[in-house]
Amino acid sequence: MCDDKVKIISRCSCKSARTSRFLIPALLQLLSEKSSHGYELTEKYTEFGFTEACSDPGAVYRTLKLLDSDGFIKSKWKTTETGPAKKIYSITDKGLKLLSGWVKEIKERKKTLEYFLKRYDKL
């Protein structure tokens, strides 16, 4: 699990290290809720409050391509009679396991930050 995270983060070409690291679990979370296309995922990502990464919308698409090539998500083209074809992404079982690992790590980090803030409040 951890090896998968290190591998995918090191290959991510997003600008901001902190937000790019959160981009992966955020996209996995969004896709665990609903299969979607890139533009919708870019819009929904801002709901997490990490808008810096969306100043480069290509970061979302590069990360989706990376997650797809590593088997964490899968994609298929959806064509309709009207409008252009859209690539629809959905999470795989491997992606759900990776998301679970991220959630565990985020909870641990949250606990550490809460401890830090409690110590600060005592000053």
Side-chain angles (χ1 to χ4, degrees):
M1 188 73 57
C2 199
D3 290 341
D4 284 337
K5 282 190 270 184
V6 170
K7 176 184 168 190
I8 201 161
I9 289 171
S10 66
R11 292 176 49 211
C12 183
S13 59
C14 306
K15 287 182 181 180
S16 172
R18 277 183 260 196
T19 56
S20 67
R21 287 187 176 182
F22 190 73
L23 182 58
I24 295 166
L27 289 173
L28 292 172
Q29 175 64 38
L30 290 169
L31 289 172
S32 73
E33 296 168 1
K34 176 187 171 213
S35 295
S36 190
H37 57 85
Y39 181 76
E40 183 177 37
L41 290 166
T42 300
E43 286 185 330
K44 287 188 173 280
Y45 179 72
T46 61
E47 294 172 6
F48 289 103
F50 290 94
T51 55
E52 310 88 43
C54 287
S55 63
D56 175 17
V60 171
Y61 290 96
R62 286 189 300 274
T63 304
L64 287 169
K65 184 177 181 180
L66 185 63
L67 289 167
D68 194 8
S69 68
D70 286 349
F72 297 110
I73 64 173
K74 60 184 177 181
S75 62
K76 66 179 178 178
W77 285 100
K78 181 180 180 184
T79 56
T80 59
E81 292 182 21
T82 59
K86 293 180 181 175
K87 197 177 229 185
I88 304 295
Y89 298 92
S90 56
I91 195 165
T92 63
D93 288 340
K94 184 178 176 182
L96 288 169
K97 288 178 187 170
L98 181 61
L99 176 58
S100 179
W102 274 105
V103 168
K104 182 179 177 183
E105 185 176 312
I106 290 168
K107 285 180 179 179
E108 284 299 315
R109 226 167 255 198
K110 178 184 174 200
K111 192 175 4 174
T112 301
L113 291 171
E114 287 173 347
Y115 175 75
F116 173 85
L117 292 172
K118 282 180 186 176
R119 287 186 68 142
Y120 176 81
D121 288 342
K122 289 179 182 179
L123 294 178

